[in-house]
């Protein structure tokens, strides 16, 4: 027996030593090994779970001490999760960024901690970048470009962008995928699925399986840069009537599944108020135009750019026309809405804007919310139930309301998780998109502006009229629908003009001149 053990240990030592020698020669990063990535994720999950299971044993629920301790546990757990995402990179950072945008669902300690992942994306070495170009385009950098900036313009969870100049003098941006993401993504998602099921078994109220389902569906699409290029061209054509929209032109001869070459376009991030002030860009105009773009995408066409975080939305003065433009980047993640879903979503938002509570209930139920329709309305609008009852277009957003929503989100976490598992999968990316757009509006201090509700209403009216016309059996009925649509849009324009006049300098000047008893 001793001899067998000696032979076994000698064999194990030899295998271990040869494996180590092989890995050393290959200069393989241990973080690339599936067993290391899984072990790191499992260890973090165990530590966080143990913390939540044991931290509150000797503290009475509902006390101030309990609230303080809960906040501390949330904070250190969020930091552990952030560190895990930074260590495993790729898909983990992508999912962590998604979690950081879920203000309506996760405690503030998590969202504020995970939001930094947008600036913690990994960066591939120049050797790795050259290898991807060599493998995909079959040529060396010097053959393709006059110059190529080694320092990336930006690095994201799945890729990084480099500026280069073609031999014909045109400046381009190359989005180049991190070489290891493609092979790691499916394994990473499987790891997340296993660990989330384990956490759900320990904490039944924790139901985040929808997050894994979304990652499974969307990650392959986001990793196909040819798909992204087609999306960019489709949205540029679809929204060509907006002169303020700029979508960079794709260079198909230098694009593959892992490389997307496009026209290089400069600008400042949409939440950079200092950049806008320096370049004479009107913040309200940007906010209104961004609302127009997304209302058109969501309600009229049902083809939605679902990743409008500030790094993907730039603003600039057009070098030729000197007019303000919005530059839309990163077209990897789109949601195509089913017609019935889109129309019910239109009707729901019209009901929310007007404060039509029977409509809010009816269309929320049609969208899968069931008896949780009040919660659904609050999650969708990020407004309190009182504001929803009054009509969200007539009640301004206050700091106290935001605090109330955050507090309630923590209290109703099981119900919110249940809701997100109930609604159609299309709704999940729309909720994420809404949150990102609200974050931009909050930074620009234009949230809940009347212009955004007018633009939404205008697009909803057009979408529903188009649907009715498609089902009309006679020319007379189509004419009737067109006249009703024109009248509704005209009323909106009159109301918009009234709001403009009321807020103009002329109106304030006239009000100052009028006798006090007429005010």
């Amino acid at each position: 027996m001793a001899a067998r053990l000696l032979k076994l240990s000698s064999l194990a030592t030899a295998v271990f030593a040869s494996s180590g020698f092989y890995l050393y020669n290959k200069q393989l990063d241990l973080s690339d090994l599936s067993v290391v990535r899984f072990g790191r994720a499992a260890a973090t999950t165990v530590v966080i779970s143990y913390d939540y299971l044991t931290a509150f044993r000797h503290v009475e629920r509902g006390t101030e001490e309990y609230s303080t301790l809960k906040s501390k546990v949330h904070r250190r757990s969020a930091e552990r999760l952030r560190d895990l995402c930074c260590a495993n990179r790729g898909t983990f950072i992508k999912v962590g960024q998604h979690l950081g945008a879920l203000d309506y669902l996760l405690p503030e300690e998590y969202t504020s901690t995970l939001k930094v992942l947008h600036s913690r994306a990994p960066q591939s070495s120049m050797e790795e970048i050259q290898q991807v170009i060599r493998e995909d385009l079959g040529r060396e950098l010097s053959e393709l470009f006059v110059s190529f900036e080694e320092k990336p313009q930006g690095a994201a969870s799945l890729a990084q962008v480099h500026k280069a100049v073609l031999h014909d003098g045109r400046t381009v941006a190359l989005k180049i995928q991190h070489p290891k993401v493609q092979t790691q993504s499916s394994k990473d998602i499987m790891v997340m699925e296993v660990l989330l099921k384990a956490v759900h078994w320990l904490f039944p109220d924790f139901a985040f399986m929808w997050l894994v389902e979304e990652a499974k569906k969307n990650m392959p699409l986001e990793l196909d840069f040819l798909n992204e290029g087609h999306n960019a061209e489709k949205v540029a054509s679809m929204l060509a009537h907006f002169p303020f929209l700029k979508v960079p032109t794709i260079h198909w001869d230098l694009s593959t599944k892992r490389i997307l070459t496009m026209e290089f376009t400069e600008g400042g991030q949409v939440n950079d108020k200092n950049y806008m002030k320096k370049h004479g860009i009107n913040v309200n105009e940007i906010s209104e135009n961004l609302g127009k773009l997304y209302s058109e995408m969501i309600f009229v066409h049902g083809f939605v750019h679902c990743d409008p975080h500030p790094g993907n939305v730039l603003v600039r003065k057009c070098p030729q026309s000197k007019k303000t433009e919005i530059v839309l980047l990163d077209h990897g993640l789109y949601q195509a809405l089913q017609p019935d879903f889109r129309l019910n979503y239109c009707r729901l938002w019209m009901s929310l804007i007007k404060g039509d509570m029977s409509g809010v209930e009816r269309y929320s139920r049609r969208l899968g919310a069931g008896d949780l329709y009040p919660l659904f309305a609050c999650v969708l609008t990020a407004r309190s139930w009182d504001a929803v009852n009054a009509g969200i277009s007539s009640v301004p957003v206050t700091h106290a309301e935001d605090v109330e929503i955050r507090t309630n989100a923590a209290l109703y976490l099981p119900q919110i998780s249940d809701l997100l598992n109930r609604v159609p999968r299309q709704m999940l990316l729309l909720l994420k998109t809404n949150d990102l757009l609200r974050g931009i509006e909050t930074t620009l201090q234009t949230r809940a502006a009347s212009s955004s509700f007018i633009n939404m209403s205008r697009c909803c009216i057009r979408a529903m009229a188009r649907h009715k016309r498609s089902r009309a059996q006679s020319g007379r009925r189509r004419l009737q629908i067109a006249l009703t649509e024109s009248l509704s849009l005209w009323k909106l324009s009159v109301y918009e003009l009234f709001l403009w006049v009321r807020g103009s300098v002329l109106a304030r000047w006239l009000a100052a001149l009028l006798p006090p008893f007429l005010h």
Side-chain angles (χ1 to χ4, degrees):
M1 178 63 72
R4 286 183 181 178
L5 285 174
L6 183 60
K7 285 181 182 178
L8 187 60
S9 63
S10 299
L11 180 62
T13 303
V15 170
F16 181 77
S18 59
S19 300
F21 182 71
Y22 173 79
L23 294 177
Y24 176 78
N25 277 347
K26 287 286 185 179
Q27 294 184 322
L28 189 67
D29 186 346
L30 289 178
S31 291
D32 297 337
L33 297 176
S34 297
V35 66
V36 173
R37 298 169 71 79
F38 175 79
R40 191 183 283 136
T44 302
T45 303
V46 168
V47 170
I48 291 175
S49 300
Y50 182 78
D51 200 359
Y52 277 104
L53 284 169
T54 60
F56 308 102
R57 280 179 179 171
H58 307 296
V59 182
E60 186 179 345
R61 182 183 290 270
T63 62
E64 188 175 338
E65 183 185 1
Y66 180 88
S67 298
T68 303
L69 180 59
K70 184 169 70 172
S71 178
K72 288 180 179 177
V73 175
H74 284 337
R75 180 71 64 186
R76 60 181 178 245
S77 297
E79 288 170 354
R80 287 166 180 149
L81 190 57
R82 177 203 62 204
D83 293 343
L84 168 65
C85 292
C86 290
N88 276 5
R89 300 173 302 204
T91 309
F92 279 83
I93 284 187
K94 191 73 179 174
V95 172
Q97 289 171 346
H98 190 171
L99 289 172
L102 300 179
D103 292 310
Y104 57 87
L105 177 58
L106 293 177
E108 186 275 336
E109 293 87 352
Y110 275 91
T111 55
S112 62
T113 302
L114 295 176
K115 274 185 171 69
V116 305
L117 290 174
H118 281 292
S119 59
R120 296 280 189 91
Q123 189 171 314
S124 294
S125 67
M126 195 57 202
E127 290 74 21
E128 290 173 317
I129 291 299
Q130 286 177 311
Q131 185 62 28
V132 172
I133 290 174
R134 198 178 294 120
E135 289 172 359
D136 283 35
L137 299 178
R139 297 163 75 186
E140 296 295 333
L141 277 180
S142 57
E143 298 177 72
L144 295 166
F145 310 106
V146 173
S147 66
F148 185 94
E149 292 187 5
E150 293 193 9
K151 183 180 178 182
Q153 296 284 309
S157 55
L158 306 181
Q160 62 193 52
V161 177
H162 288 264
K163 184 179 179 181
V165 178
L166 299 174
H167 286 284
D168 62 9
R170 289 177 296 173
T171 305
V172 295
L174 279 86
K175 181 176 179 180
I176 303 170
Q177 196 172 114
H178 299 309
K180 299 158 189 170
V181 169
Q182 193 81 244
T183 54
Q184 291 172 347
S185 63
S186 57
K187 296 172 187 172
D188 287 345
I189 291 169
M190 187 169 63
V191 167
M192 291 179 199
E193 185 172 18
V194 169
L195 294 177
L196 282 174
K197 283 180 178 177
V199 173
H200 180 54
W201 180 76
L202 279 172
F203 305 95
D205 289 344
F206 185 91
F208 274 70
M209 291 314 298
W210 55 269
L211 190 63
V212 174
E213 290 170 19
E214 284 300 292
K216 271 184 181 177
K217 183 183 75 175
N218 295 319
M219 195 58 65
L221 296 174
E222 290 194 74
L223 290 171
D224 181 356
F225 289 177
L226 293 177
N227 173 67
E228 178 176 343
H230 292 306
N231 286 342
E233 289 194 337
K234 180 175 179 178
V235 83
S237 172
M238 190 176 83
L239 302 178
H241 56 286
F242 287 127
F244 55 81
L245 174 63
K246 172 68 178 175
V247 177
T249 306
I250 306 299
H251 292 262
W252 289 109
D253 57 324
L254 293 172
S255 296
T256 68
K257 281 198 170 188
R258 294 194 297 171
I259 299 172
L260 187 65
T261 305
M262 68 203 94
E263 169 190 5
F264 181 79
T265 311
E266 290 187 285
Q269 290 194 1
V270 71
N271 63 346
D272 189 344
K273 294 175 75 174
N274 291 330
Y275 177 90
M276 294 191 215
K277 186 176 180 181
K278 181 180 177 182
H279 291 83
I281 295 172
N282 187 302
V283 169
N284 292 315
E285 180 187 352
I286 290 296
S287 184
E288 183 176 351
N289 286 343
L290 190 61
K292 284 180 181 178
L293 289 177
Y294 273 86
S295 291
E296 186 94 6
M297 280 191 266
I298 293 169
F299 300 114
V300 179
H301 299 285
F303 186 67
V304 191
H305 179 284
C306 288
D307 201 12
H309 75 74
N312 291 339
V313 185
L314 305 183
V315 294
R316 69 169 194 169
K317 287 281 189 181
C318 176
Q320 288 77 37
S321 67
K322 304 303 178 186
K323 291 183 178 178
T324 301
E325 289 184 333
I326 291 175
V327 183
L328 204 56
L329 304 174
D330 198 341
H331 299 271
L333 187 58
Y334 271 75
Q335 179 72 69
L337 306 179
Q338 296 298 321
D340 286 346
F341 175 93
R342 178 172 55 84
L343 291 166
N344 283 324
Y345 194 66
C346 280
R347 294 173 181 128
L348 173 58
W349 269 104
M350 291 294 286
S351 300
L352 288 165
I353 290 168
K354 293 185 293 186
D356 172 12
M357 297 314 295
S358 62
V360 169
E361 179 179 356
R362 183 185 313 118
Y363 299 118
S364 293
R365 287 183 181 278
R366 285 190 189 178
L367 289 168
D371 293 335
L372 294 175
Y373 73 88
L375 182 62
F376 180 55
C378 294
V379 166
L380 187 61
T381 59
R383 302 297 303 270
S384 67
W385 183 238
D386 288 341
V388 170
N389 271 278
I392 57 174
S393 62
S394 59
V395 181
V397 179
T398 63
H399 176 68
E401 184 184 5
D402 281 340
V403 172
E404 178 190 344
I405 289 166
R406 281 198 172 279
T407 304
N408 286 340
L411 293 174
Y412 291 102
L413 181 58
Q415 290 89 337
I416 294 174
S417 294
D418 182 23
L419 175 66
L420 294 177
N421 280 302
R422 281 190 196 186
V423 295
R425 301 298 89 184
Q426 301 171 81
M427 183 61 71
L428 299 177
L429 280 180
L430 279 187
L431 290 172
K432 174 194 173 184
T433 303
N434 286 343
D435 282 345
L436 289 168
L437 291 172
R438 261 194 295 268
I440 292 170
E441 289 178 343
T442 300
T443 304
L444 299 181
Q445 297 179 314
T446 58
R447 190 171 159 207
S450 57
S451 61
S452 65
F453 293 121
I454 289 170
N455 288 325
M456 288 173 71
S457 299
R458 191 174 276 126
C459 286
C460 287
I461 290 166
R462 286 171 50 211
M464 289 188 284
R466 179 188 289 184
H467 171 69
K468 289 175 183 176
R469 275 196 299 272
S470 70
R471 302 181 68 178
Q473 300 296 317
S474 65
R476 181 180 176 184
R477 175 60 183 150
R478 282 191 287 273
L479 178 62
Q480 183 183 17
I481 293 166
L483 290 173
T484 303
E485 177 189 10
S486 298
L487 179 61
S488 298
L489 292 173
W490 178 79
K491 286 179 181 177
L492 267 180
S493 297
V494 170
Y495 178 60
E496 189 174 27
L497 179 63
F498 164 73
L499 291 177
W500 179 82
V501 170
R502 192 177 67 177
S504 68
V505 175
L506 176 62
R508 291 195 294 272
W509 181 71
L510 287 173
L513 290 177
L514 289 173
F517 61 85
L518 290 179
H519 284 186

